[in-house]
Amino acid sequence: MVEAKGAIGEFGILPGHTQFLTTLQIGEIRYMKEGKTMHLAGSGGFAEVVEDKVVFLLDTAEFAEHIDVERAKRAQ
């Protein structure tokens, strides 16, 4: 399962999803890995769904647990 913010709103992808390509907006990307939900902060890019794979091409990305809150506030 993958959830992200696309060009026309938030979308979710489950196994067997139809193929598509979309731009990604700045925001959170959530996905399941080994039964655990992972959170990633992305600054925009592209997502492609082909067969049983989702590929993200992101300008920048950072796992939620690695975000330096003070640095992020200064950058904002």
Side-chain angles (χ1 to χ4, degrees):
M1 185 270 311
V2 175
E3 297 175 316
K5 207 186 252 188
I8 58 172
E10 198 158 307
F11 64 89
I13 300 165
L14 293 171
H17 198 286
T18 189
Q19 296 183 16
F20 78 98
L21 176 68
T22 187
T23 57
L24 292 172
Q25 303 298 315
I26 295 170
E28 180 183 18
I29 298 167
R30 294 174 300 284
Y31 65 95
M32 295 287 291
K33 183 176 181 181
E34 300 172 359
K36 183 179 176 189
T37 301
M38 308 295 286
H39 302 269
L40 194 66
S43 65
F46 298 90
E48 179 182 32
V49 179
V50 178
E51 296 176 7
D52 64 343
K53 293 183 182 180
V54 180
V55 177
F56 290 107
L57 178 61
L58 302 167
D59 296 327
T60 62
E62 194 168 4
F63 286 102
E65 62 270 16
H66 297 149
I67 295 174
D68 179 339
V69 176
E70 291 304 315
R71 179 191 48 80
K73 285 180 182 177
R74 287 190 306 271
Q76 187 181 23

